[in-house]
């Protein structure tokens, strides 16, 4: 299995920046794509950004131009650079890793809280 641990969340004023990190351990060679999701209070969890093994990235429309996803496979670490933060970015952010050949095939971190004040 793969274990994921996020860090870097916190309280920031609107317009500020944060960088989230997600360190993977365990069977990391089985990881394919990695993603960041977020879940605001009372809402469903939704995809923020994803990055493939080859480095192809995709973003939710709401974060395009403000957030940047990247990965350092040598360090088994996924990043999310968040700039120009808005109050509506407030949520718990979760790291996700797909392991299509190994159960449980989908792996989640415990989440890190990001709060953006106006």
């Amino acid at each position: 299995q793969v274990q994921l641990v996020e860090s870097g969340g916190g309280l920031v004023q609107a317009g500020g920046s944060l960088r989230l990190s997600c360190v993977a351990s365990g069977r990391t060679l089985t990881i394919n794509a990695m993603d960041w999701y977020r879940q605001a209070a009372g809402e469903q969890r939704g995809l923020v950004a994803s990055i493939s093994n080859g480095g192809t990235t995709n973003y939710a429309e709401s974060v395009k131009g403000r957030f940047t996803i990247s990965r350092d496979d040598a360090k088994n670490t996924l990043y999310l650079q968040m700039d120009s933060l808005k109050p509506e970015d407030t949520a718990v952010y979760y790291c996700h890793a797909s392991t299509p050949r190994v159960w449980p095939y989908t792996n989640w971190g415990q989440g890190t809280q990001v709060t953006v004040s106006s």
Side-chain angles (χ1 to χ4, degrees), residues 26-37:
R27 302 184 69 178
T28 57
L29 292 180
T30 65
I31 293 174
N32 193 340
M34 298 188 77
D35 322 273
W36 287 99
Y37 283 76

Side-chain angles (χ1 to χ4, degrees), residues 3-7 21-25 36 95 108-110:
Q3 294 77 43
L4 303 170
V5 178
E6 302 100 330
S7 62
S21 299
C22 170
V23 178
S25 60
W36 287 99
C95 175
W108 293 94
Q110 83 288 353

